[in-house]
Amino acid sequence: MSKKKGLSVEEKRSRMMDLFYEKKDFFQLKELEKICPKEKGITSMSVKDILMSLVDDAMVDTDKIGTCVYFWAFPSKASQNRKRKLDDLTNSITECKKKKMMTEKALNKEKIGKEDTDNRGAILEQLAAKKQRLDEITKELDRFKECDPEVLEQMKEEILTAKEAANRWTDNVFSIKSWIKKKFSFEESVIDKQFGIPEEFDYVE
């Protein structure tokens, strides 16, 4: 025999709301934990969680009177909530319709003078061809850029700067070698070998 399937959360919520609407009364949690299992098939262990979820969603009202906390929900409030939601949806639809009309109006305005005529099509084709030709010319210019006098002049300046920097470092290396020779009486060949300095090491001409 198949095992009876338990109620889903939504089914429990719906049944508890039905209880409130049918009874039209105020209840404490303990009272609901006794009534719900008998009349609505909601286990007493889950009554509190279901009840608080309905309170969080503003479907069930609650208030503390003295030391007791009471819960209630009347059909009239549900009706008011549905009416408020309906009004909100109606207002939202109205706003969407206004935006749609404004968008269509702006779109039609933008279309003026841009009708798909033979003349416009020919002009667009010419524009596309000219853009393609511009791309080709730009690529050609990039190929001949190395011959540009300004580019060549900039390259000369960069080469000169790099040459001066290299010679400064060469100067520093020779100064250090000279200091080591005097300080430790090493042969120049020994110093070159120790620090990996090639024989042809010299200033850049």
Side-chain angles (χ1 to χ4, degrees), residues 58-72:
M59 295 173 68
V60 171
D61 293 316
T62 181
D63 198 4
K64 187 174 182 181
I65 302 173
T67 57
C68 300
V69 179
Y70 290 92
F71 301 91
W72 69 94

Side-chain angles (χ1 to χ4, degrees), residues 86-183:
L86 181 61
D87 290 341
D88 290 342
L89 288 171
T90 303
N91 291 334
S92 178
I93 290 169
T94 303
E95 285 298 316
C96 287
K97 285 181 177 178
K98 285 181 181 177
K99 288 180 181 178
K100 182 173 178 285
M101 287 176 62
M102 290 173 65
T103 303
E104 288 177 347
K105 188 176 179 181
L107 184 61
N108 291 331
K109 186 178 178 181
E110 288 296 320
K111 285 181 178 179
I112 296 173
K114 298 177 182 177
E115 292 80 5
D116 194 13
T117 61
D118 292 339
N119 185 42
R120 185 169 184 270
I123 291 171
L124 289 174
E125 285 181 9
Q126 290 178 18
L127 179 61
K130 289 184 183 297
K131 282 184 177 179
Q132 185 177 352
R133 180 58 183 152
L134 178 61
D135 289 340
E136 292 171 358
I137 291 171
T138 303
K139 288 177 182 178
E140 281 188 54
L141 283 173
D142 288 339
R143 283 202 301 269
F144 293 109
K145 199 172 183 180
E146 293 180 1
C147 300
D148 188 335
E150 291 184 6
V151 175
L152 290 173
E153 189 62 33
Q154 186 180 349
M155 287 176 65
K156 285 180 182 178
E157 290 177 4
E158 290 174 356
I159 290 169
L160 181 61
T161 302
K163 181 180 175 182
E164 289 174 352
N167 284 335
R168 278 199 303 275
W169 281 104
T170 302
D171 238 349
N172 293 337
V173 171
F174 282 142
S175 296
I176 293 170
K177 282 174 66 176
S178 177
W179 179 81
I180 293 172
K181 283 166 69 177
K182 290 178 181 178
K183 183 75 176 177

